[in-house]
Amino acid sequence: MKDILIEKLGEKDIDKFIEVIRLFEDVFEMKNFSLPETSHLQNLLKKESFFAFVASDNEKVVGGLTVYVLDQYYSVKPLAYIFDLAVDTKYQRQGIGRKLIAAVNNYCHEKGFEEVFVQADKVDDYAIDFYRSTRPTEEEQVVHFYYMLNGDTTSRNHKAQ
């Protein structure tokens, strides 16, 4: 495999963050996607409740994932929810997704998180097979319900492939 660099983005890494969002747009085939203002994305990178990792090949972002930090009332240790993970189609099946998962798990372990979790749609066999191959501790069968508040389903479209 090529020399792929995995790194956690900092608040000044807005260009890489935008690159990974554009990668999500491409890989998830998001229709009519409109990127939020840069100031919003910069503020997101500054929050302790959010972080992102990217995979780069010669300074080009070829994969990435985003994580929301959830504080608990059952425990003082936070949870990490992987919201999006994607790898450029030309780089898939080369272990990059596994490296991203490993990086997040290592980071969260070092920071004292209780758990890292991710959801995959039942119809997305590739994603389910991928996450199973990363050797999770547990797998649950759940059903998620969504309450769209503004009638705009654009933000959910990338989840339903």
Side-chain angles (χ1 to χ4, degrees), residues 110-153:
E110 289 172 7
K111 296 293 184 185
F113 282 61
E114 184 170 315
E115 178 179 303
V116 175
F117 70 99
V118 62
Q119 75 181 41
D121 293 330
K122 288 182 179 184
V123 297
D124 193 344
D125 293 333
Y126 177 73
I128 290 170
D129 289 343
F130 166 73
Y131 289 118
R132 284 181 177 150
S133 77
T134 64
R135 301 177 57 174
T137 309
E138 224 176 291
E139 178 180 324
E140 293 181 345
Q141 297 293 319
V142 298
V143 177
H144 290 266
F145 298 92
Y146 299 95
Y147 302 93
M148 303 310 289
L149 302 178
N150 62 5
D152 179 15
T153 59

Side-chain angles (χ1 to χ4, degrees), residues 9-22:
L9 297 182
E11 63 182 76
K12 297 185 187 224
D13 294 319
I14 189 65
D15 292 335
K16 288 182 181 178
F17 188 37
I18 290 171
E19 279 186 72
V20 80
I21 294 169
R22 290 297 185 194

Side-chain angles (χ1 to χ4, degrees), residues 61-76:
V61 172
V62 298
L65 59 75
T66 56
V67 176
Y68 287 96
V69 176
L70 305 172
D71 289 323
Q72 299 190 74
Y73 45 85
Y74 294 120
S75 172
V76 296

